[in-house]
Amino acid sequence: MIIAIDLGGMSAKGAVLQDGKLVGCARVKTNAQNSIEETVASLFALCKEVVLNAGGNLDEVTAVGIGSPGVIDSQKGEVVHWSNFSWHDVPLGKMLSEKIGKPVFVTNDANAAALGEAKYGAGKRFSDSVLITLGTGVGGGIILGGKLFEGYKSAGAELGHTVICKDGEPCSCGRRGCLEAYASATALMRMTKEEMQKNRESAMWNISPALSDVDGKTAFLAAEQGDASGQKVVENYVQALGEGIANIVNLLRPQAIVLGGGVSAQGEALLVPLRKYVSENIYVSQTYAPIEILCASLGNDAGLYGAGQYAVDRLK
Ligand code: BGC
């Protein structure tokens, strides 16, 4: 049994990866205000829960794989820097390993998702693909020649912190104009609220009667109903994400861009305008080297599959 954990800014999901399948899935809440010890304690509780759900016990567990946001020193299992949680040099792997008594391997969450898709999902068809997660932050995972590219000291592929607008919106990393500041679910919610405040007539107010009800779906649902304000938010969102993707395409020219994270649940409503924007803005045409833009076929489970697979690979 391998335990897989996908740690996120609002929740951590866990499961047991057994014979290539996820079983016993469970979830715990996470919060930037919690201490590191509290977060590790809830991850330990999550481990116990998923093993129990899967009908096993901790003795049967070989290892734990965690996908965590931030720059991860994957050799040491340390979260070197995670700006959303203000974590610096957190020995996450060691702390959980001391509780559970098993080896714990840690990689970046988006790297895990890229690995999951490449091994079990949509990425299987491609040797070169880039996965972008659209959640609390924007993460990147790069697969080149069928292998995960982590960069020097596994600090690379921070695609969310590439700048698409100089002096633009502030980002959690301290810079301005990062892709994350426009294409994360957090940014989508911010842009939705800003537009709602400008237009009291917008159908977005029927979907989310209070600003606190706004989520990543609000603008998309309104746009689908033909609401001009909702359409404007979606259009701006697509353009920003499209800018970021065009840069990635010009840099790496992968065969595919795979979208994961909460916002990717919008599926075709997001993909159709995005494909158009990207194909109009990349350097070498689609005719020469076609790029597929698609959603993670494992959906939000891509990170869990990948975290489990990461542990499997590290045990080899
Ligand atoms: C972090 C990345 C992470 C992404 C998604 C970003 O803010 O810098 O390391 O992969 O959020 O969680």
Side-chain angles (χ1 to χ4, degrees):
M1 276 188 165
I2 297 281
I3 299 178
I5 296 179
D6 185 10
L7 176 60
M10 286 182 263
S11 68
K13 290 178 293 170
V16 169
L17 182 68
Q18 224 173 11
D19 306 322
K21 299 244 152 36
L22 293 178
V23 287
C25 299
R27 183 190 282 261
V28 289
K29 286 202 163 147
T30 56
N31 191 321
Q33 266 68 56
N34 288 350
S35 69
I36 295 160
E37 288 73 18
E38 282 169 327
T39 303
V40 174
S42 43
L43 296 183
F44 182 43
L46 179 65
C47 289
K48 289 192 275 194
E49 191 180 346
V50 296
V51 169
L52 198 71
N53 288 350
N57 63 64
L58 283 182
D59 293 342
E60 296 166 73
V61 173
T62 320
V64 181
I66 306 182
S68 163
V71 170
I72 311 298
D73 183 332
S74 50
Q75 286 312 309
K76 292 190 186 153
E78 272 183 26
V79 181
V80 178
H81 177 77
W82 175 15
S83 44
N84 282 312
F85 263 35
S86 307
W87 278 16
H88 302 285
D89 301 322
V90 173
L92 179 62
K94 189 162 164 261
M95 288 172 81
L96 186 60
S97 179
E98 274 165 10
K99 283 192 183 291
I100 197 164
K102 308 283 172 185
V104 178
F105 302 104
V106 190
T107 186
N108 170 272
D109 58 351
N111 285 358
L115 197 63
E117 278 294 313
K119 173 87 185 169
Y120 300 97
K124 268 199 285 197
R125 290 191 284 131
F126 313 106
S127 61
D128 301 325
S129 62
V130 174
L131 184 132
I132 305 171
T133 58
L134 310 167
T136 311
V138 169
I142 301 175
I143 304 284
L144 294 179
K147 292 210 164 63
L148 182 65
F149 172 84
E150 292 185 289
Y152 181 48
K153 293 188 84 176
S154 56
E158 282 291 343
L159 303 177
H161 302 293
T162 53
V163 169
I164 57 161
C165 176
K166 187 175 179 298
D167 296 329
E169 293 290 335
C171 180
S172 67
C173 73
R175 292 176 82 202
R176 283 182 172 271
C178 292
L179 179 60
E180 176 164 312
Y182 296 89
S184 58
T186 321
L188 174 59
M189 284 159 63
R190 182 197 71 234
M191 297 186 294
T192 303
K193 288 178 193 170
E194 281 167 6
E195 183 57 31
M196 283 168 75
Q197 278 164 313
K198 278 190 220 150
N199 184 357
R200 303 293 310 181
E201 305 305 314
S202 165
M204 292 192 282
W205 286 106
N206 304 334
I207 295 159
S208 304
L211 288 178
S212 55
D213 300 328
V214 167
D215 62 20
K217 296 189 279 291
T218 308
F220 277 91
L221 285 171
E224 198 183 285
Q225 293 171 13
D227 178 63
S229 295
Q231 285 167 344
K232 191 168 145 195
V233 174
V234 170
E235 202 177 304
N236 288 339
Y237 179 83
V238 165
Q239 282 182 10
L241 180 57
E243 284 295 305
I245 292 179
N247 290 340
I248 296 164
V249 170
N250 288 351
L251 183 69
L252 296 170
R253 199 67 185 206
Q255 293 150 301
I257 299 281
V258 185
L259 303 179
V263 185
S264 72
Q266 295 309 320
E268 293 299 304
L270 172 66
L271 291 175
V272 170
L274 187 63
R275 286 180 184 131
K276 183 168 184 290
Y277 190 89
V278 172
S279 71
E280 285 168 1
N281 285 282
I282 48 180
Y283 187 64
V284 180
S285 76
Q286 280 281 36
T287 328
Y288 175 70
I291 290 140
E292 288 193 39
I293 302 183
L294 63 165
C295 289
S297 64
L298 304 170
N300 251 337
D301 284 341
L304 272 179
Y305 276 98
Q309 185 59 36
Y310 187 75
V312 172
D313 290 347
R314 287 288 300 272
L315 284 169
K316 280 179 191 158

